[in-house]
């Protein structure tokens, strides 16, 4: 899709400015990563622990109405899960800092009181009450960290196999930058960190890799064809050649995510926001992070990337 003519933007000429921006984003992200195990971030019930109560109503109910009632009743941060066709609703409420384990009964009674008073024509019974303890939360944190680490290692192996090792390092650097930067932004705007957000972060890793590989593919092709070009103009040329593809792909993806963010409902609201941030940061990093890393590691004589200024 050709929406404008050829471009000749000096992206690498802006790499020092980009380095400052990326350093700030990564620094904030690392602070967020440290705050999560210390319990200083806004953690969901998956990580912080809490109370889970499963209600069985006699009649079908509207999720938006239930969500509004709980929000008005002081449970605006409750996680809701509906079981289709069963009139069952799982309500998970995060335990307050310093809360006692005995608060299970108190929270169950308070939530039940909201339903009894606001939906008197739809009686309920309680099928299950349980507490999600901090031990489970620690286990989930550990599993999430392992999942991200394994994903980054897999990316390194794939790109190193497809191109060469230094391209793999550059791709992993960009992917790590994207995941940490988005985590930092979510931390700054006080979004609740839960398993859905972790899923979004892993999705970002995959998207970031795809865009980076497209840029790397063009760099490798031009390295083979343009033997007299020095490295900086060649990388700039490569990025400009795939710029239209990058902008169109990212733009259309953002339009879809924007629709999900505004019209997709409360359940996927934060997930959509995470992906939107990931697409923006991932597009930025494929141009201003991954390619400049190749300049830092020029390689040995005889390798494709040895042509430097």
């Amino acid at each position: 899709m050709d929406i404008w003519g050829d471009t000749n933007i000096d992206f690498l000429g802006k790499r020092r400015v980009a380095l400052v921006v990326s350093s700030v984003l990564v620094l904030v992200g690392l602070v967020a990563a440290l705050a999560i195990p210390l319990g200083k971030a806004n953690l969901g019930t998956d990580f912080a622990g809490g109370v889970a109560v499963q209600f069985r109503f006699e009649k079908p109910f509207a999720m938006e109405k239930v969500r509004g009632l709980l929000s008005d009743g002081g449970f605006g941060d409750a996680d809701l899960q509906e079981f289709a066709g069963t009139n069952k609703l799982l309500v998970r409420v995060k335990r307050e800092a310093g809360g006692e384990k005995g608060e299970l009964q108190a929270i169950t009674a308070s939530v039940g009181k909201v339903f009894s008073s606001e939906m008197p024509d739809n009686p309920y019974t309680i099928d299950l009450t349980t507490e999600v303890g901090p031990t489970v939360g620690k286990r989930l944190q550990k599993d999430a960290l392992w999942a991200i680490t394994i994903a980054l290692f897999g990316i390194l192996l794939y790109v190193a196999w497809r191109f060469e090792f230094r391209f793999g390092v550059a791709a992993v650097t960009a992917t790590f930058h994207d995941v940490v930067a988005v985590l930092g932004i979510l931390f700054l705007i006080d979004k609740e960190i839960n398993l859905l957000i972790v899923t979004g972060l892993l999705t970002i890793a995959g998207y970031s890799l795809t865009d980076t590989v497209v840029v790397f593919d063009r760099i490798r092709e031009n390295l083979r064809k343009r033997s007299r070009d020095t490295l900086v103009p060649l990388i700039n040329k490569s990025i400009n050649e795939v710029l239209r593809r990058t902008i169109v792909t990212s733009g259309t993806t953002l339009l879809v995510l924007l629709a999900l963010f505004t019209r997709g409902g409360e359940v996927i609201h934060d997930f959509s926001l995470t992906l939107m941030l990931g697409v923006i940061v991932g597009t930025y990093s494929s141009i201003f992070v991954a390619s400049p890393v190749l300049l830092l590691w020029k390689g040995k004589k005889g390798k494709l990337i040895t042509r430097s200024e």
Side-chain angles (χ1 to χ4, degrees):
M1 183 177 180
D2 191 3
I3 58 176
W4 63 74
D6 293 338
T7 58
N8 186 27
I9 303 172
D10 181 16
F11 291 106
L12 292 188
K14 317 289 189 303
R15 61 183 184 274
R16 289 179 177 80
V17 176
L19 177 63
V20 174
V21 174
S22 295
S23 298
V24 172
L25 289 174
V26 170
L27 181 62
V28 174
L30 292 177
V31 170
L34 290 175
I36 290 174
L38 294 176
K40 303 298 183 183
N42 183 8
L43 302 178
T45 53
D46 302 316
F47 295 105
V51 172
V53 185
Q54 183 173 302
F55 294 88
R56 181 199 297 269
F57 292 91
E58 289 189 0
K59 303 175 185 176
F61 55 87
M63 277 295 287
E64 289 306 315
K65 179 182 178 181
V66 170
R67 196 181 303 279
L69 293 177
L70 289 178
S71 179
D72 294 340
F75 297 99
D77 61 348
D79 292 329
L80 306 181
Q81 181 179 354
E82 182 183 9
F83 299 89
T86 61
N87 298 337
K88 291 182 180 179
L89 175 69
L90 180 64
V91 180
R92 292 187 297 177
V93 179
K94 184 168 58 177
R95 176 180 291 127
E96 297 296 332
E100 300 293 336
K101 290 186 177 180
E103 68 184 354
L104 171 62
Q105 293 182 346
I107 291 177
T108 302
S110 298
V111 174
K113 186 177 179 181
V114 171
F115 293 145
S116 299
S117 59
E118 302 297 335
M119 297 193 303
D121 58 336
N122 194 1
Y124 68 85
T125 57
I126 296 176
D127 284 351
L128 172 70
T129 59
T130 186
E131 293 189 46
V132 181
T135 302
V136 176
K138 294 291 184 184
R139 171 73 181 274
L140 289 173
Q141 289 180 36
K142 184 179 179 182
D143 289 348
L145 182 61
W146 271 109
I148 292 176
T149 302
I150 292 172
L152 291 176
F153 185 68
I155 290 170
L156 175 63
L157 290 180
Y158 168 72
V159 179
W161 167 75
R162 179 166 176 176
F163 298 95
E164 57 180 277
F165 185 66
R166 73 203 65 192
F167 281 82
V169 172
V172 166
T173 301
T175 303
F176 177 78
H177 165 278
D178 297 347
V179 173
V180 172
V182 173
L183 178 63
I185 295 172
L186 294 174
F187 176 71
L188 283 180
I189 60 178
D190 199 31
K191 283 295 177 182
E192 185 178 278
I193 308 299
N194 51 39
L195 284 182
L196 205 56
I197 295 296
V198 173
T199 305
L201 293 176
L202 289 173
T203 307
I204 290 170
Y207 180 87
S208 173
L209 175 65
T210 302
D211 206 38
T212 301
V213 165
V214 170
V215 176
F216 281 178
D217 245 339
R218 186 54 58 94
I219 291 175
R220 185 175 60 173
E221 289 176 11
N222 287 336
L223 278 167
R224 287 171 174 166
K225 292 187 300 185
R226 301 171 185 275
S227 59
R228 294 183 179 180
D229 288 352
T230 54
L231 195 54
V232 170
L234 186 142
I235 292 178
N236 269 329
K237 178 74 174 177
S238 302
I239 296 174
N240 277 286
E241 287 177 351
V242 298
L243 184 62
R244 278 168 289 186
R245 179 265 176 202
T246 299
I247 297 298
V248 171
T249 302
S250 299
T252 51
T253 306
L254 279 175
L255 287 177
V256 174
L257 292 173
L258 183 62
L260 292 174
F261 178 74
T262 56
R263 308 300 297 175
E266 185 72 22
V267 175
I268 61 171
H269 184 273
D270 289 350
F271 180 71
S272 304
L273 174 63
T274 303
L275 294 186
M276 287 174 63
L277 292 173
V279 170
I280 295 171
V281 175
T283 303
Y284 157 82
S285 76
S286 65
I287 297 173
F288 291 105
V289 177
S291 300
V293 169
L294 295 176
L295 292 177
L296 299 177
W297 190 352
K298 297 182 174 61
K300 297 179 181 178
K301 186 176 182 180
K303 295 289 186 181
L304 288 176
I305 203 72
T306 53
R307 301 184 194 91
S308 59
E309 292 176 312

